[in-house]
Amino acid sequence: MAMLRFLFRRLVAQRLLALGVVLTLAFSVGVMASGPIYTDAARNSILASAIATASVPVANVRVDLYGGSSFHWASADRQVRALSSLLPVRTIVPQGEATVRIGPSGGSVPMLFRAGGGAHLAYRSGTAPGTGQVAVPIGLAQLSGIKLGDRLEVLGPTNEQRTVQVSGIFDPPARTDAFWFGEDTPFPQGDSMDPVPVLVDQPTALTLATQLGLSTHFAWDLYLSLAGITYPDALNLPDAYVQFSTEIDHRLIVQQQPPHVSSGIQILIAGVQRSVSDLRVPILLVLLQILVVTLVVLAGVGVLFVSRQSFELAVLHSRGFTTRTLLLAQGLQALLAAAFALPIGIAIGALLSRFAGLTNGPRPGEAGFPITVSLSSVLFGAAAAAAGALVLWLPSIPAVRRTIIAERRQTSRETRPTLARAPVELIVLPVGLFALAQLRNGEALAPATAGQGSIDPLLLFGPTLVILGASFLVVRLLSWGLGSLDGRIGRSRRLSTYLAGRRLGRTPGVVFASAVLVVLATGLLFVSTTYRATTLQNHEDAAHAFAGADWVATVGIPPDGSNAFDRTLPPGMADVERVQPDGFTGTYSTPPEGLAVDPATFQQAAWWRADFAAESFEGLLGRLAAPAEGMTLPQGSRTVELTIDSPRGAAGLELRAALRRPDGSFTSTEPLTLAEGSHPYALDVSGGTSLLSLTFEAPSTTTHTRRMLLMMTGVRLDGAPMSLAGWAPIGSLGAGGRITPASGGWTFTASFAIGSALVAIEPKPVAVPAIMSSDIAQQEPTTMQLRIGDRTLPIQRVGTATSFPGIAPGTPFIVVSGPALFELQGAVPGQGGRVNEVWTHGDTDPTAAIQAAGFPVIDLLSARTIEGRLDEAPESLAVGLDAAAAIAGLGLVIAGVTATLYFAQRRRDFEFASLRAMGAGAPALRGTIAREQFALIGVASIAGVLLGDVVVRLATAPLLRTVSTSFPAPVIVIDVAALIVALIVIAVAATVAAVTATRALLRSSISAVLRGDPE
């Protein structure tokens, strides 16, 4: 007990230094404890993000079966709900769908009931249906002239009929509404031509099924309660699902047909298990790497701590205390420090894990990074505390053997400590360089190829050993350099320079240990943050290259207005059409793809990387600008008149003029039916700014090829002659022809192909400008004819790129001007393309803004979600923890070294009091301390940064191989912001230590210090 009281009093007396030791040891404990904490948090985060990003059918369960008119729905519903207790069910939504004939036209449509479905629809008019009522979609209402309150006949397969009343008219819901079970929604999506269901309530559906003899497809959608589920509980879900499926199969049999149970929960959990199992090894490697470094740091702090206590130990040894007793006292001191450090270390481990999780990229679905302290983390921390106590105790062995005379002799001779005299760099540095050489030569312990996302032990330990060995080498070279300058320092006329130089060169213990720690911590920070920044940046690039922009919304046909590039979108959004070009003459491994974009807005929304093309993105898009198509109409134009001499085969063709309006949208005139013989025709072109084409459309598609001559004379625009010189036939669906001048007009030799119904002429089209991939540019001419949609168009290459956002790597592509393409397509009424995607730049979900602009959103792709899933790769999580530990370790080293240097300065009371007594002024003493601190910390910090840069350059190739993405090509990214912040913090800490120490030394009494013991 006396020994414990003595140790406790000594720790109190040296409380600030003891606090530094405890915190350093606590950091070592925290590093080891963070392993299990981080792993548990990572697996829960992986699970939560997998659930958040899974589609509705994957993360939930559907039970479905077919039942006839005699099906007992209530009994089946009770059985499903009773068996649902086997699963963590949040809610059950039953559904039934049968096919009926309804409305004045008697067309077949699905009749749907879904519990609560009426509240999840947007009604143009009316409300959700009640008993004996029906809600109809807007398309059916417009097609059949159905109005609110109408009574409609519903017919079954036997022509039995019943009457229901229209309660509301609704817009079909978006697939993004999870209530309708995601992609398994009963409503058709995209460009599907399937009829939209009518909606009834459950009693009406069951009554009509019985009365009309309907066969109904019943379904029960079990929405699982997975929010906040833990990883151990999630592992039980596949077994629970299998048990539920088995019980359903045994108990719910209808007319000898077993029900069908579907869910992706087994695949989902299996994927999470694979990710978690792949996580353990990288995390363990990182922990071992960090532990080695922290133990080295702890050894350095232990040396500093013992150097502070060396005089005291020498006095005790001289007064009769045995070496064994002093070793026991130092051991108990280390154990006491470990006991204090353990709880602090567990807290540090939790904070370190939290920091690593929050700084390692976005979490999909805002899943978070839940932190919990487990028993395994406490045990890991206890083991680290025991190892740390041993490391703290070892430097005491030589110190407890010295008497007061030996201690004075060593102090006066300024003998270098054992760690400074041992050639550590000759042992550690060659091993690290050999590991890096193996990595660069591709002979790693666990070879990886680009895109596989594995992490090699040598990639962690090789740079660490190089930096550790090089730290000793750099500091030794600096020490030798100072020693060689000792003569020149002695001749210095500036007192502060003389004192600082002599101090740095002749106090090797504190200087050597402090410099090694700073070089080591700064170098490791450079390497670790570079690893993390490289991994995260390349994940972000890969996610954006795949998606094309921050958000890509697949949009449907607007309910009203234009579906072209003339809609006004909010800033940061661009409308896009994905097209499938055809007609290439080259040979390609995959079919070329195409994008039609608006050059005016696309740059604001799309993501781009400079290595995709030799030219800037802005320059490429600027080349896509094209002159307006068609013939410009003078303002106020009203009528185009012409006389057409039609053969008998042309009788019945409908003549139209395609126009572009002032707002950029397209329209066509009312059709004029051609009659045999020569007749005048007048087309109303009022409201148009450009005449795009004159079209001749047959009532039906042609079953055989045919040609006809159409003689056009007297072509006038508002009474003034209008020339068709330069006009050309439109190639569409194989149709075409030739237009030639004739007496008094022009002759159009029209050619109909099999399956075509339209021939047309247009002002000579301007080639659509296009950016093309390098492989297309190598195999195709500059100007080519490609078929996009129903038209064959002239395409001109104006730029080349190796890659393009939104296009898969290795896929040939062309990117054309959307407005120019649509103008040419708009020349054929009813056959133009449409905008099917909206790309958006920004952090917030753009669904509401896109829908407000008139485009219904069918699906939404988020680059941030993709990036988050990539950031959950095992090597990404591992380097995230590595970087967080390096950042925290540098902070700890800065605090520890600064505090140690402060105490080292305070031990110079006698020296500074003597200098002050001999007339040295305060400015000289301040300059001495400032030069010492900044020479030591500044040079060590710069050396650490340079050393880290060299190591990163040596490890570039193997580092890029560990990135889990191969496209775009991974690049090294230096975390400049982290380095700048670190250097600023180092400078601030050194300044605070220098100012504080100087103030304390200058405020002390000269006479009191000189009368007392210099120690």
Side-chain angles (χ1 to χ4, degrees):
M1 291 301 296
M3 180 67 72
L4 290 176
R5 283 196 300 271
F6 164 72
L7 294 175
F8 185 77
R9 289 177 179 175
R10 185 167 67 172
L11 288 177
V12 171
Q14 301 174 354
R15 51 190 174 275
L16 293 181
L17 187 59
L19 179 61
V21 173
V22 170
L23 289 179
T24 305
L25 182 54
F27 180 76
S28 302
V29 172
V31 167
M32 289 304 294
S34 67
I37 296 174
Y38 188 73
T39 301
D40 291 344
R43 68 183 188 180
N44 285 326
S45 177
I46 292 172
L47 172 64
S49 63
I51 293 172
T53 57
S55 63
V56 179
V58 169
N60 299 286
V61 180
R62 168 169 281 190
V63 179
D64 66 307
L65 53 81
Y66 288 88
S69 57
S70 60
F71 174 70
H72 197 282
W73 182 87
S75 175
D77 183 65
R78 284 195 299 271
Q79 291 184 5
V80 171
R81 292 181 182 276
L83 293 175
S84 67
S85 61
L86 297 172
L87 296 168
V89 176
R90 174 169 50 90
T91 186
I92 300 177
V93 180
Q95 173 182 295
E97 188 175 9
T99 301
V100 297
R101 287 172 289 162
I102 193 170
S105 62
S108 295
V109 297
M111 182 181 68
L112 172 73
F113 85 82
R114 186 172 177 86
H120 288 264
L121 293 173
Y123 291 90
R124 296 283 185 100
S125 60
T127 58
T131 303
Q133 295 180 325
V134 63
V136 297
I138 182 63
L140 178 61
Q142 292 174 342
L143 180 66
S144 303
I146 299 174
K147 297 180 179 60
L148 191 66
D150 287 354
R151 300 195 68 82
L152 304 178
E153 292 183 350
V154 181
L155 287 78
T158 61
N159 290 327
E160 287 286 334
Q161 64 181 36
R162 294 293 184 272
T163 303
V164 293
Q165 185 178 27
V166 177
S167 69
I169 298 175
F170 63 86
D171 288 317
R175 191 176 68 176
T176 52
D177 188 348
F179 174 81
W180 300 101
F181 218 64
E183 56 262 36
D184 287 348
T185 174
F187 292 90
Q189 299 294 319
D191 295 330
S192 174
M193 302 304 294
D194 293 337
V196 179
V198 298
L199 186 70
V200 297
D201 64 1
Q202 177 185 312
T204 302
L206 297 178
T207 300
L208 291 178
T210 302
Q211 295 176 348
L212 303 181
L214 303 177
S215 177
T216 305
H217 180 201
F218 292 101
W220 287 263
D221 293 332
L222 282 65
Y223 290 84
L224 303 183
S225 179
L226 301 180
I229 188 172
T230 61
Y231 181 74
D233 292 338
L235 295 181
N236 298 324
L237 282 178
D239 293 337
Y241 169 72
V242 171
Q243 184 181 359
F244 173 77
S245 301
T246 303
E247 293 294 331
I248 287 289
D249 288 341
H250 289 165
R251 299 190 189 185
L252 196 63
I253 298 178
V254 179
Q255 298 175 352
Q256 306 304 317
Q257 293 184 358
H260 177 246
V261 183
S262 61
S263 175
I265 199 68
Q266 290 177 297
I267 299 175
L268 179 70
I269 299 304
V272 173
Q273 285 182 287
R274 285 194 299 271
S275 298
V276 170
S277 63
D278 294 340
L279 177 65
R280 294 189 180 97
V281 172
I283 293 295
L284 180 60
L285 292 175
V286 167
L287 287 181
L288 292 177
Q289 175 221 10
I290 300 173
L291 181 62
V292 169
V293 175
T294 54
L295 290 180
V296 172
V297 173
L298 192 61
V301 173
V303 170
L304 297 176
F305 192 34
V306 171
S307 67
R308 175 67 171 166
Q309 298 177 337
S310 60
F311 184 78
E312 174 186 324
L313 292 173
V315 171
L316 293 174
H317 186 63
S318 299
R319 298 195 49 135
F321 284 82
T322 64
T323 301
R324 180 178 179 180
T325 302
L326 293 177
L327 284 176
L328 177 61
Q330 293 298 100
L332 291 175
Q333 174 183 270
L335 290 177
L336 189 59
F340 283 119
L342 181 59
I344 301 174
I346 299 298
I348 290 176
L351 292 175
L352 189 62
S353 300
R354 181 71 173 172
F355 177 72
L358 294 178
T359 58
N360 198 47
R363 301 263 73 82
E366 304 301 328
F369 204 79
I371 298 296
T372 56
V373 177
S374 61
L375 177 61
S376 59
S377 62
V378 176
L379 294 178
F380 268 68
L390 179 62
V391 171
L392 284 176
W393 176 75
L394 289 176
S396 302
I397 295 177
V400 298
R401 299 176 182 273
R402 292 194 293 267
T403 63
I404 185 63
I405 297 176
E407 174 66 18
R408 283 298 191 184
R409 184 183 300 117
Q410 178 167 314
T411 302
S412 63
R413 292 178 180 177
E414 298 177 338
T415 306
R416 294 181 177 271
T418 303
L419 194 62
R421 287 182 277 121
V424 178
E425 62 272 22
L426 297 182
I427 302 172
V428 177
L429 188 57
V431 177
L433 292 174
F434 176 76
L436 285 181
Q438 295 294 95
L439 281 172
R440 290 175 61 84
N441 294 332
E443 300 175 3
L445 297 179
T449 58
Q452 286 186 347
S454 58
I455 189 168
D456 194 279
L458 295 183
L459 185 61
L460 295 175
F461 288 100
T464 301
L465 294 177
V466 169
I467 291 177
L468 179 60
S471 299
F472 282 89
L473 178 61
V474 167
V475 173
R476 194 178 304 278
L477 292 176
L478 291 175
S479 179
W480 289 346
L482 284 173
S484 64
L485 295 175
D486 190 69
R488 300 185 63 179
I489 293 174
R491 294 191 297 271
S492 175
R493 295 184 178 182
R494 187 185 295 270
L495 177 61
S496 58
T497 302
Y498 170 80
L499 293 174
R502 286 296 177 92
R503 177 70 177 177
L504 291 174
R506 298 189 179 188
T507 53
V510 173
V511 171
F512 192 91
S514 301
V516 166
L517 291 178
V518 173
V519 174
L520 177 62
T522 309
L524 288 178
L525 176 75
F526 190 102
V527 173
S528 299
T529 54
T530 298
Y531 280 14
R532 183 186 63 178
T534 298
T535 301
L536 295 182
Q537 184 62 59
N538 284 284
H539 287 172
E540 181 181 347
D541 290 353
H544 283 86
F546 176 81
D550 291 336
W551 304 86
V552 175
T554 303
V555 297
I557 301 174
D560 50 31
S562 172
N563 58 6
F565 286 88
D566 53 343
R567 279 188 178 269
T568 301
L569 292 172
M573 293 188 182
D575 31 17
V576 176
E577 183 195 14
R578 286 196 179 269
V579 298
Q580 195 63 49
D582 196 9
F584 296 95
T585 59
T587 302
Y588 306 99
S589 56
T590 57
E593 296 182 3
L595 294 175
V597 305
D598 186 350
T601 61
F602 189 68
Q603 184 182 357
Q604 303 172 8
W607 175 86
W608 182 258
R609 210 170 84 167
D611 58 353
F612 280 1
E615 191 175 352
S616 69
F617 194 34
E618 182 180 5
L620 283 175
L621 292 179
R623 293 171 177 265
L624 291 183
E629 299 285 347
M631 187 186 80
T632 302
L633 295 174
Q635 188 174 3
S637 298
R638 300 182 60 84
T639 306
V640 171
E641 300 171 306
L642 73 166
T643 299
I644 302 178
D645 187 358
S646 308
R648 177 180 300 176
L653 295 181
E654 293 183 340
L655 169 65
R656 295 186 185 188
L659 305 169
R660 181 175 61 247
R661 295 193 184 102
D663 61 0
S665 60
F666 305 105
T667 187
S668 60
T669 61
E670 291 295 324
L672 302 177
T673 304
L674 299 187
E676 183 181 357
S678 180
H679 299 279
Y681 302 92
L683 299 166
D684 183 6
V685 297
S686 58
T689 58
S690 297
L691 176 62
L692 300 178
S693 68
L694 296 175
T695 62
F696 303 87
E697 188 172 3
S700 60
T701 57
T702 305
T703 58
H704 59 280
T705 60
R706 56 175 178 153
R707 296 166 61 90
M708 60 185 67
L709 297 177
L710 298 174
M711 181 64 186
M712 295 177 289
T713 58
V715 183
R716 293 178 174 274
L717 174 62
D718 291 336
M722 188 182 88
S723 175
L724 299 182
W727 284 51
I730 293 178
S732 176
L733 296 177
R738 185 178 59 186
I739 182 170
T740 56
S743 177
W746 288 266
T747 300
F748 177 31
T749 306
S751 298
F752 284 87
I754 297 175
S756 64
L758 181 144
V759 293
I761 58 174
E762 65 179 343
K764 186 176 182 180
V766 178
V768 178
I771 303 167
M772 300 184 184
S773 58
S774 302
D775 46 357
I776 292 181
Q778 293 171 0
Q779 301 186 55
E780 308 289 347
T782 302
T783 302
M784 65 191 82
Q785 297 288 324
L786 295 181
R787 186 169 63 255
I788 300 179
D790 296 335
R791 282 209 57 179
T792 299
L793 303 168
I795 305 293
Q796 182 178 14
R797 184 175 75 247
V798 296
T800 305
T802 56
S803 304
F804 205 83
I807 303 293
T811 302
F813 62 85
I814 67 168
V815 180
V816 300
S817 168
L821 174 66
F822 275 36
E823 284 185 355
L824 288 176
Q825 292 181 330
V828 182
Q831 295 188 13
R834 72 171 183 85
V835 169
N836 50 30
E837 290 183 353
V838 174
W839 293 20
T840 305
H841 171 73
D843 297 328
T844 57
D845 188 332
T847 300
I850 294 173
Q851 291 179 334
F855 286 111
V857 176
I858 297 174
D859 200 2
L860 186 66
L861 178 64
S862 168
R864 184 179 178 86
T865 299
I866 301 172
E867 180 188 351
R869 296 307 303 269
L870 291 174
D871 289 341
E872 289 175 346
E875 75 284 356
S876 178
L877 291 170
V879 299
L881 179 61
D882 189 23
I887 293 172
L890 178 64
L892 184 65
V893 166
I894 292 172
V897 170
T898 304
T900 302
L901 292 177
Y902 168 77
F903 286 114
Q905 299 292 355
R906 289 297 308 275
R907 293 186 67 185
R908 300 169 66 186
D909 282 349
F910 189 84
E911 173 188 347
F912 274 77
S914 300
L915 292 172
R916 291 165 63 194
M918 289 186 292
L925 300 182
R926 290 193 184 97
T928 300
I929 295 179
R931 281 176 169 78
E932 288 182 19
Q933 294 280 60
F934 288 105
L936 174 64
I937 300 297
V939 172
S941 300
I942 294 173
V945 171
L946 295 177
L947 181 59
D949 182 65
V950 171
V951 171
V952 166
R953 293 177 185 275
L954 293 175
T956 293
L959 171 59
L960 294 181
R961 287 199 298 267
T962 67
V963 179
S964 60
T965 57
S966 57
F967 177 79
V971 294
I972 290 292
V973 179
I974 306 297
D975 195 342
V976 178
L979 294 175
I980 292 176
V981 171
L983 293 177
I984 291 175
V985 171
I986 291 173
V988 170
T991 302
V992 171
V995 170
T996 306
T998 304
R999 181 177 298 178
L1001 290 172
L1002 293 178
R1003 286 182 177 180
S1004 61
S1005 170
I1006 298 177
S1007 58
V1009 172
L1010 294 179
R1011 282 198 303 268
D1013 192 295
E1015 292 294 332

